[in-house]
Amino acid sequence: MGHIREFDRHAAEYEGLKLIQLRVARHLLEKSPYQGRRILDLGAGNGTIWRLLPWEVEAFYALDASFQMLALHPPVTQKILGRFDRRGTLEYLAQLPIDQIFAASSLQWSRDIKGTLSWIAALQSPCSLALFTSATFQSLHQIANLSSPIYSKEELLPLLESLFPRAHLELRQYRLFFPTKRDLFGYLRRSGVSQGVSRLSYSQAKRLIRDYPHRYLEFEVLFLWSK
C-alpha cells in the first residue's frame, strides 16, 4: 500500500516527524489499565511504544510491514516482518505467548478492519489501540476534493463496541501547527501520512497549497483500552 512505501522512503528521518504519533502513543500508555509482560506491538514502526514503555517486560514482539522501519527498532525486541491483515501472519502471531496488545498508529490501514479487529478480540488479551479516523486532514481533503483513505468514526465505533463491549473508548482531536504553509506541506510529504494528498497532480497540489487557509493539520484518533 502507498503509506508503507512512504514510511520506507523516509524511515531514517521519521523520528523527527512523528509528533502526533508520539502524543498518541504516550496517551495510549498513560491510560493503559494493564501492564503486560509479553507485549505484541502491531505496526511497531521504529519502536515508539517500546521506547516510551514505563514498565519492564519479559518479551516484546514488534510487527511491521516495513523492513526499513523494523531496522530502526531496538535490537532487544523480536522483530516480525508482516501485515496484520494477512491470514498467515495472524496464524503465526496467535502462537506467541503474549499477554497484551498495542497498536498506536497503524490499524486504520487494514484492508479488512473487521477481520483484523475480530482477530484481536478473539485473542482475549488486554488491548491498548489507537485508530486515526477519516476526520484526519478533514479540511485539506475537503478543499482538494479528496476522499479519505481510512475509516470514519461512524464505521469504527459500532464495530469496536460490538467486539469489545467492556472496553473504554475515547475520541480525541489534535491540531498540529506550522510556522508557514511551506512547512506544513513539507511535513505532509515527509511524514508518511500523506497518502491521499500524494494522489494529486502537480497543478492540483500547487492549487491546494495556495487555497489551504490554515497553518495547521487536523487529526482525529479513536482510542480503546480493554482489560
Side-chain angles (χ1 to χ4, degrees):
M1 295 175 68
H3 71 286
I4 294 172
R5 290 195 295 273
E6 290 199 338
F7 277 128
D8 282 348
R9 186 165 62 246
H10 303 297
E13 57 182 308
Y14 179 59
E15 186 67 33
L17 297 167
K18 54 175 184 174
L19 302 175
I20 293 297
Q21 290 91 331
L22 277 169
R23 292 187 193 180
V24 169
R26 287 195 183 103
H27 188 60
L28 207 57
L29 285 162
E30 287 169 0
K31 294 194 67 174
S32 174
Y34 183 77
Q35 296 186 350
R37 296 296 175 182
R38 298 177 301 279
I39 290 174
L40 170 62
D41 187 7
L42 300 173
N46 65 351
T48 300
I49 290 293
W50 165 260
R51 290 185 175 92
L52 295 177
L53 200 66
W55 64 85
E56 297 293 324
V57 296
E58 298 172 6
F60 192 97
Y61 303 95
L63 173 80
D64 203 273
S66 166
F67 176 82
Q68 286 88 343
M69 293 300 290
L70 284 178
L72 299 174
H73 211 280
V76 292
T77 64
Q78 180 172 326
K79 304 176 186 182
I80 306 166
L81 181 65
R83 295 188 59 91
F84 48 69
D85 52 8
R86 289 184 177 169
R87 176 175 294 182
T89 303
L90 296 181
E91 289 174 352
Y92 173 77
L93 296 177
Q95 305 305 312
L96 298 176
I98 60 172
D99 63 0
Q100 188 172 14
I101 300 171
F102 276 89
S105 60
S106 60
L107 292 180
Q108 66 273 0
W109 299 114
S110 173
R111 294 168 176 165
D112 176 16
I113 191 63
K114 183 176 181 180
T116 299
L117 292 173
S118 297
W119 174 83
I120 294 173
L123 290 180
Q124 298 185 327
S125 294
C127 298
S128 295
L129 313 177
L131 297 94
F132 285 76
T133 79
S134 61
T136 296
F137 304 155
Q138 186 172 47
S139 295
L140 186 146
H141 284 152
Q142 289 174 348
I143 293 169
N145 196 28
L146 289 171
S147 58
S148 173
I150 58 179
Y151 303 96
S152 69
K153 63 178 177 288
E154 289 78 15
E155 294 173 291
L156 293 171
L157 274 169
L159 188 56
L160 291 170
E161 289 170 344
S162 65
L163 291 171
F164 304 90
R166 290 180 292 278
H168 173 69
L169 293 168
E170 180 182 336
L171 188 68
R172 280 198 165 199
Q173 288 85 28
Y174 299 90
R175 284 183 177 180
L176 183 59
F177 286 82
F178 298 85
T180 67
K181 286 203 286 185
R182 182 184 295 271
D183 294 318
L184 184 153
F185 283 93
Y187 168 89
L188 277 175
R189 287 194 302 272
R190 300 189 303 274
S191 66
V193 293
S194 60
Q195 187 183 25
V197 180
S198 64
R199 302 197 303 263
L200 296 175
S201 67
Y202 174 78
S203 61
Q204 289 173 319
K206 188 175 180 180
R207 186 163 55 251
L208 177 60
I209 294 172
R210 183 196 66 202
D211 295 343
Y212 189 67
H214 309 302
R215 289 189 179 176
Y216 61 79
L217 291 170
E218 305 143 317
F219 301 82
E220 184 176 81
V221 185
L222 186 56
F223 293 88
L224 177 145
W225 296 272
S226 70
K227 296 182 180 179

